[in-house]
Amino acid sequence: MRFFEDIEVGQRREVGSFTFTADGIKKFAKQFDPQRFHLDEEEGRKSLFGGLAASGWHVGSVCMKLLVADNQLQAKEAAARGEEIAVWGPSPGFRELRWIKPVLAGDTISFASEVETRRSSEKRPEWGIVQARNTGTNQRGELVYSLLATAFVPRRNAGS
Amino acid sequence: MRFFEDIEVGQRREVGSFTFTADGIKKFAKQFDPQRFHLDEEEGRKSLFGGLAASGWHVGSVCMKLLVADNQLQAKEAAARGEEIAVWGPSPGFRELRWIKPVLAGDTISFASEVETRRSSEKRPEWGIVQARNTGTNQRGELVYSLLATAFVPRRNAGS
């Protein structure tokens, strides 16, 4: 995890890809989004999605999973280099979540995160506020998912 | 599920409540958001959350689960009254998701949905566009979760 001073607008990370299987789609849907087109291939085909489609919440949760794994990898690498590790604050939320195209069984989605804005926090001078656009792109290069995340990022010399 | 003509700004539905258990919080976190404060009580207590906290994606997914169950109940009741059932379109996304306060192990969150705006779709005259504010409130009456959802809702006489 990086400090606010290390972050620049335009920085982009590919955070990994994930294949949505029919089993995985149905398992998530049974627990959290039991709509017909998320539970059954035939119902999916008859729907506007045109096939068994992952719940949008499943897509968002998988993106989160890959972001967390990437952050943990970055922290491990920084620790191995003997660097101090920044501990980010909790996320207050996000804006503009868009499910742009269906994610169907068998689709492989590649997720990325790109810094859009960075600014100081007026109320909390020890923190910076970073907005990053998280996106998912399918195996045909089509953008399927996008959201604008907000994070509180610590300053390197906050304590000094 | 209601038709566009049946929907008015200010209509509110309580869609149900859910208790987040420590086991449930950890299970979701292991799969989708394996950060320390979502996986371990002691790490949660040491964090800004002050306790084992549910992933924000878990809170959003549970809200979705209750909204879907409520919609299915409404559809069943309408069918029992012999009414025609509206089939809503897929959601294109949402705006302004806010995780306002932590959801900790043992918290019971009550979710509700209230219509904020309704308008005709210019491009698709057979559909209306409805924005609803979905919220979660804990057992102390504190708002913990909010998002502004967008849905395409069919008109009753679209085909005529």
Side-chain angles (χ1 to χ4, degrees):
Chain A
M1 302 290 271
R2 292 164 298 161
F3 286 91
F4 185 64
E5 289 80 355
D6 308 325
I7 290 174
E8 284 167 35
V9 169
Q11 279 174 343
R12 183 182 166 91
R13 281 188 71 88
E14 307 294 329
V15 298
S17 65
F18 184 90
T19 299
F20 288 80
T21 65
D23 275 358
I25 287 172
K26 292 178 196 175
K27 196 174 157 193
F28 187 96
K30 265 177 214 152
Q31 240 190 311
F32 295 115
D33 193 353
Q35 299 185 80
R36 292 174 304 176
F37 35 71
H38 299 323
L39 289 169
D40 183 88
E41 277 85 351
E42 184 55 29
E43 295 282 353
R45 272 191 291 275
K46 290 191 304 194
S47 76
L48 287 171
F49 295 123
L52 180 71
S55 164
W57 289 92
H58 191 188
V59 177
S61 295
V62 164
C63 180
M64 187 69 201
K65 168 204 189 81
L66 294 173
L67 286 165
V68 169
D70 182 65
N71 281 337
Q72 290 174 343
L73 179 68
Q74 285 187 71
K76 209 172 154 184
E77 289 172 353
R81 289 191 301 266
E83 293 171 12
E84 194 188 352
I85 292 163
V87 178
W88 287 33
S91 169
F94 55 78
R95 299 175 63 180
E96 298 173 26
L97 183 144
R98 293 187 296 144
W99 292 303
I100 299 153
K101 280 178 176 285
V103 172
L104 301 183
D107 280 355
T108 297
I109 310 301
S110 300
F111 293 93
S113 182
E114 185 168 327
V115 177
E116 282 208 358
T117 70
R118 70 193 285 287
R119 63 187 172 85
S120 304
S121 168
E122 280 175 33
K123 286 187 200 159
R124 304 180 178 113
E126 69 277 23
W127 294 95
I129 298 170
V130 172
Q131 284 188 310
R133 175 81 53 185
N134 301 334
T135 55
T137 305
N138 69 17
Q139 66 276 15
R140 291 178 296 279
E142 298 163 329
L143 189 67
V144 298
Y145 174 72
S146 169
L147 75 75
L148 189 61
T150 306
F152 285 96
V153 181
R155 288 172 172 278
R156 191 177 289 281
N157 300 313
S160 63
Chain B
M1 303 289 274
R2 292 163 297 162
F3 287 91
F4 184 64
E5 288 80 356
D6 308 326
I7 290 173
E8 284 168 35
V9 169
Q11 279 174 343
R12 181 182 167 91
R13 278 188 74 87
E14 307 295 328
V15 298
S17 66
F18 184 90
T19 299
F20 288 80
T21 64
D23 275 359
I25 287 172
K26 292 178 195 175
K27 197 175 156 193
F28 187 96
K30 266 179 213 150
Q31 240 190 311
F32 295 115
D33 193 352
Q35 300 186 78
R36 293 174 304 176
F37 36 70
H38 300 322
L39 289 169
D40 183 89
E41 277 85 351
E42 184 54 30
E43 294 283 352
R45 272 190 292 271
K46 290 191 305 194
S47 77
L48 288 172
F49 294 123
L52 180 71
S55 165
W57 290 92
H58 191 187
V59 178
S61 295
V62 165
C63 179
M64 186 69 201
K65 168 206 189 81
L66 294 174
L67 285 165
V68 168
D70 182 64
N71 282 337
Q72 290 173 345
L73 179 69
Q74 285 187 72
K76 210 172 153 185
E77 289 173 352
R81 290 191 300 267
E83 293 171 12
E84 193 187 353
I85 292 164
V87 178
W88 286 33
S91 169
F94 55 78
R95 300 176 62 181
E96 300 173 24
L97 183 146
R98 293 187 296 144
W99 291 304
I100 298 153
K101 281 180 175 284
V103 173
L104 301 182
D107 281 354
T108 297
I109 310 300
S110 301
F111 293 93
S113 182
E114 184 166 328
V115 177
E116 281 210 356
T117 70
R118 69 192 287 286
R119 63 187 173 85
S120 305
S121 169
E122 280 175 32
K123 286 188 197 159
R124 304 180 179 113
E126 71 276 25
W127 293 96
I129 299 170
V130 173
Q131 284 188 310
R133 175 81 54 185
N134 300 334
T135 54
T137 304
N138 69 18
Q139 67 276 14
R140 290 179 296 279
E142 298 164 328
L143 190 67
V144 298
Y145 174 72
S146 169
L147 76 74
L148 189 61
T150 307
F152 285 96
V153 180
R155 288 173 172 278
R156 190 178 290 282
N157 301 312
S160 64

